Structures are given as C-alpha cells and as structure tokens.
Amino acid sequence: QVQLVESGGGLVQAGGSLRLSCAASGSISSINAMGWYRQAPGKQREMVAVVTGSASTNYADSVKGRFTISRDNAKNTVNLQMNSLKPEDTAVYYCNADVSSIWYGRAEYWGQGTQVTVSS
C-alpha cells in the first residue's frame, strides 16, 4: 500500500504564512498528480492546488496568487506554501496522490489531514 503523511498545519493570524508538507511512501512505481484539498466545517471537500508529474499546476481561484504548490519527484513529496492567509482558509487540509504501483495498480490515496486555522 501507499501512505501519505502530512505536516505543517497550525494556528496563524490573518496575513500570516504556513507551509504544508506531504511525503508519500510504500509501494510506489511512479506518482502522477499530487495535490492538496481542504474541507471546512459544513462544506464539501474542495481542490486547493494540484501539480502533475510534468510540473503543470492548477489552483483554485480563491488561492491563486497566495498559495504555491511544489513537488520533489525524487523524494515523493509535495509542499504547499500558503501566504497572505485569510480566515476563510481555515479547514482541514488533505494531501492527495495518484499513484501507480506494480503490486496495486493505479490508485488514489489520501493523507490523514492537517488542521489549518487562521484567526482574524
């Protein structure tokens, strides 16, 4: 199987910054897209940012210009640099990876989530 472990969440004041990291491990042949999603209380999970294997990125309109996603293919990691944070960014952030494995085929995996709280 594949495990995704996130780190870097926490409490920050509006206007501040946080950096989330996610490391994938396990039976991995290659990782296609990696990304970050978030879910606020009472809301559906939404895409925040995604980066493909060729480093093409896609961002939610609400975070464009404030968040930057990056990945290290050699280390199977993905990071999310979040600047100019707003209270509406408060949510549980989940790492996601589209992984190809010799043993398990191609599948999508999720991390356990990390809380980001932005105070006003």
Side-chain angles (χ1 to χ4, degrees):
Q1 289 290 343
V2 174
Q3 298 79 40
L4 301 181
V5 178
E6 301 132 333
S7 61
L11 173 65
V12 65
Q13 289 188 330
S17 298
L18 281 175
R19 182 178 177 86
L20 304 183
S21 296
C22 173
S25 62
S27 179
I28 299 171
S29 297
S30 64
I31 300 180
N32 307 300
M34 297 187 81
W36 291 93
Y37 292 71
R38 68 186 181 187
Q39 187 167 18
K43 296 187 177 181
Q44 290 188 331
R45 189 173 298 188
E46 62 175 0
M47 185 273 291
V48 176
V50 174
V51 56
T52 68
S54 59
S56 175
T57 59
N58 187 34
Y59 294 92
D61 288 343
S62 60
V63 307
K64 283 181 180 177
R66 301 188 298 122
F67 291 11
T68 302
I69 190 170
S70 61
R71 66 185 283 179
D72 185 327
N73 292 331
K75 296 181 179 179
N76 290 334
T77 59
V78 63
N79 300 308
L80 184 68
Q81 179 65 43
M82 305 185 293
N83 298 330
S84 302
L85 282 160
K86 303 175 180 180
E88 50 264 44
D89 294 317
T90 295
V92 177
Y93 283 69
Y94 296 90
C95 177
N96 173 274
D98 177 2
V99 177
S100 294
S101 167
I102 293 177
W103 300 107
Y104 303 105
R106 185 169 180 173
E108 189 176 24
Y109 296 89
W110 293 91
Q112 78 284 359
T114 185
Q115 178 70 46
V116 171
T117 303
V118 184
S119 63
S120 57

